[in-house]
Amino acid sequence: MQRTHRTPLLPLALLLAVSSVLGGCGREGSPPVKGPQPDQLPVYQVQSGFTLPDSGTWNRAKKRGKLVVGAKEDQPYMGEKDPATGRYSGFDIEVAKMMAASLGFEPSDVEFRTIASANRETALQNGQIDYYVGTYTINDNRKKLVGFAGPYYQAGQSLLVRTDENDIAGPQDLAGKRVCSAAGSTPYQRIEKDYPKAELVAYDTYSVCVDNLLTYQVDAVTTDDTILMGYAAKVPDELKVVGKPFSEEPYGIGVPRGDNALRFALDDAIAAHEKNGDWKKAYDATLGLSGVPAPTPPAIDRYPAS
Ligand code: GLU
């Protein structure tokens, strides 16, 4: 399913304006509003002389002289692009950089490309990107289309509402409510299947859902807790995350299906960066700013070649 970006300019500008007004003045007890600071991010050791001859993807990237990595650009803490500098930041971006270093690529040879949830499989299938790191849940349906290294983190579906909302405390309260999520996402599919009385609204990105929430067009936004905490931190006076996570979303690194050499190399790389402390440093400098201490990373699922 190919979709284009249809980000309405005005509401997003509104959100950015609100967040810049509130920037730096979060209330006591609310998470810091500031994003990751570049000088606090770890530097990953580039494996010079690394080769992966059995990976078509790696060979193509080496020949081209750069890695092209798919990511999100509107998910604070996880994958966010600074419109002024074009620089991407967040926990997923750090994971992507660790992987690049392990594959023998200098940071300057890594190019990020924004791909929306519904377009990830096609982007990997048609070679638009070499791998994808962006809150991408591993599941059996997707495994028919792409490969997954990892998981490198375990998230859970949750709900974001306005602070003046008192009727919604969990997914059981969504009947008759307008609930927004991203097309092609697992949270969208779960509401459709398990909470059919909710009125589902889909956009390409969660930031558009948040704009709709702030302007009373929808009553809730649903996706992973990692993503929703980032929006709530931007405008803590307007938005809150409610209830407990109600799903398991193990995050994987998407690779072209069949490139088992790349997938196993990334599994090894995740394990190595968890062991040498990079993973925790990266977490603390990004998603950890939400106030949630670093969890133990989930076990890597090195499933057989397919
Ligand atoms: N992790 C979920 C998914 O992969 C939701 C987040 C997203 O859309 O990226 O569908």
Side-chain angles (χ1 to χ4, degrees), residues 41 54 58 61 149 181 242 247 253 263 269:
L41 296 173
D54 291 344
W58 186 88
S181 196
V242 288
S247 76
I253 300 175
R263 176 158 66 84

Side-chain angles (χ1 to χ4, degrees), residues 72 75 117 120 132 134-138 142 155 182-187 206 223-224 227 249 251:
K72 292 289 180 70
Q75 300 181 174
S117 295
R120 293 182 282 213
Y132 186 93
T135 60
Y136 197 8
T137 295
I138 303 172
R142 290 176 177 168
S185 71
T186 49
Y206 299 109
T223 185
D224 304 338
I227 302 171
E249 309 289 333
Y251 287 170

Side-chain angles (χ1 to χ4, degrees), residues 50-162:
F50 177 90
T51 62
L52 197 59
D54 291 344
S55 165
T57 312
W58 186 88
N59 284 322
R60 274 191 300 279
K62 263 286 139 171
K63 219 168 167 184
R64 187 194 301 134
K66 65 173 185 197
L67 264 177
V68 183
V69 180
K72 292 289 180 70
E73 69 171 32
D74 65 337
Q75 300 181 174
Y77 294 148
M78 295 303 288
E80 190 173 31
K81 185 177 173 181
D82 181 333
T85 61
R87 207 203 303 260
Y88 287 72
S89 65
F91 184 56
D92 281 332
I93 303 303
E94 292 306 306
V95 170
K97 288 181 184 165
M98 286 175 214
M99 299 301 106
S102 293
L103 294 175
F105 287 83
E106 295 289 337
S108 54
D109 295 333
V110 182
E111 185 184 300
F112 287 99
R113 196 164 292 174
T114 301
I115 307 282
S117 295
N119 300 337
R120 293 182 282 213
E121 291 79 24
T122 346
L124 285 165
Q125 283 168 336
N126 66 21
Q128 247 178 294
I129 52 175
D130 296 321
Y131 57 86
Y132 186 93
V133 193
T135 60
Y136 197 8
T137 295
I138 303 172
N139 66 31
D140 288 342
N141 274 339
R142 290 176 177 168
K143 273 186 183 170
K144 292 176 193 150
L145 305 169
V146 300
F148 285 106
Y152 61 90
Y153 185 83
Q154 168 104 2
Q157 184 169 353
S158 206
L159 295 170
L160 182 76
V161 296
R162 290 179 302 270

Side-chain angles (χ1 to χ4, degrees), residues 219-238:
D219 303 304
V221 177
T222 189
T223 185
D224 304 338
D225 48 2
T226 46
I227 302 171
L228 299 179
M229 285 188 307
Y231 294 127
K234 289 236 168 182
V235 275
D237 291 334
E238 311 268 334

